[in-house]
């Protein structure tokens, strides 16, 4: 599929957004030909935990799964301190019901757990007891690993932004096989030999 025919990737943005968690993902999706559009509860600017001011491109109410390639739910303090972000988890349900991928990291996984979206899917997060505190019913499907893809859903913990990106790239076909492995080794392990594989793939 040419980049001109690809639907945008939507990055959910909200106050206290953990801005380090999705940088690898969005940067290399953009390099791979995907437009990145930010989606907020409204069009009012939000501030990340690092103080970055972000202007949403579209509202959550106006976002339709059929207009998107992927919905990304980053972590944020608000996932654990209020119900303000619950509408984003409900939108994730719409996406999965429409067979459109969702990728959640850190607190975003807790939001999905509260919405019941992890009860029947393999998943991971920061630690198992973090999700157990939500009262969800999916504890037996928890996998203690860096990132998990189950069908159209990707989950990861807050210390795994590179593994999170790896799973997204694999699901969307941005990188595959040894090139995907090389990208991961370069950014996760600082493996200089992996750079040559990526350079050759870009030729």
């Amino acid at each position: 599929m040419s980049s001109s025919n690809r639907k945008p990737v939507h990055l959910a943005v909200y106050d206290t957004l953990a801005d380090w968690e999705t940088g690898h993902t969005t940067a290399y999706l953009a390099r791979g030909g995907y437009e990145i559009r930010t989606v907020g509860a409204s069009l009012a600017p939000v501030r990340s935990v690092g103080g970055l001011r972000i202007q949403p491109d579209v509202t959550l109410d106006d976002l339709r799964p059929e207009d998107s390639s992927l919905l990304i739910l980053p972590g944020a303090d608000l996932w654990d301190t209020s119900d303000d972000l619950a509408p984003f988890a409900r939108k994730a349900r719409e996406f999965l019901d429409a067979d459109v991928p969702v990728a959640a990291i850190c607190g975003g996984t807790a939001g999905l757990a509260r919405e019941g979206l992890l009860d029947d899917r393999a998943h991971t997060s920061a630690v198992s007891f973090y999700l157990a505190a939500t009262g969800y019913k999916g504890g037996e499907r928890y996998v203690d690993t860096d990132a998990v893809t189950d069908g159209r859903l990707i989950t990861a913990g807050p210390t795994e932004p590179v593994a999170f990106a790896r799973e997204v790239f694999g699901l969307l076909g941005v990188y595959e096989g040894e090139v995907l492995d090389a990208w991961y080794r370069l950014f996760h392990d600082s493996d200089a030999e992996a750079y040559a594989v990526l350079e050759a793939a870009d030729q």
Side-chain angles (χ1 to χ4, degrees), residues 1 18 28 46 86 94 98 115 117 157 182 195:
M1 182 186 295
Y28 281 85
V46 300
E94 287 182 36
E115 182 63 20
L117 295 173
Y195 185 76

Side-chain angles (χ1 to χ4, degrees), residues 55-193:
Q55 177 73 55
D57 295 313
V58 64
T59 66
L60 194 62
D61 285 344
D62 288 339
L63 176 62
R64 303 185 308 165
E66 57 265 35
D67 297 330
S68 185
S69 290
L70 170 72
L71 175 63
I72 302 173
L73 298 180
D77 293 344
L78 284 178
W79 282 115
D80 300 318
T81 59
S82 75
D83 293 327
D84 290 357
L85 303 187
F88 289 90
R90 289 195 291 272
K91 184 64 69 171
R93 179 180 290 281
E94 287 182 36
F95 268 62
L96 293 171
D97 285 348
D99 200 35
V100 180
V102 171
I105 185 168
C106 189
T109 64
L112 297 186
R114 293 185 188 98
E115 182 63 20
L117 295 173
L118 304 185
D119 289 350
D120 301 309
R121 294 176 172 92
H123 60 275
T124 194
S125 185
V127 287
S128 60
F129 56 80
Y130 170 63
L131 292 186
T134 68
Y136 84 133
K137 300 179 177 68
E140 292 184 355
R141 304 300 303 274
Y142 187 90
V143 184
D144 189 11
T145 191
D146 55 7
V148 171
T149 299
D150 186 332
R152 309 299 274 171
L153 178 66
I154 293 167
T155 51
T159 61
E160 300 295 344
V162 179
F164 182 68
R166 177 196 67 208
E167 297 300 302
V168 170
F169 302 156
L171 185 62
L172 295 184
V174 175
Y175 299 123
E176 298 176 307
E178 69 172 4
V179 177
L180 179 60
D181 178 64
W183 185 91
Y184 179 75
R185 287 188 288 114
L186 178 64
F187 286 96
H188 188 266
D189 303 325
S190 300
D191 183 345
E193 293 181 4

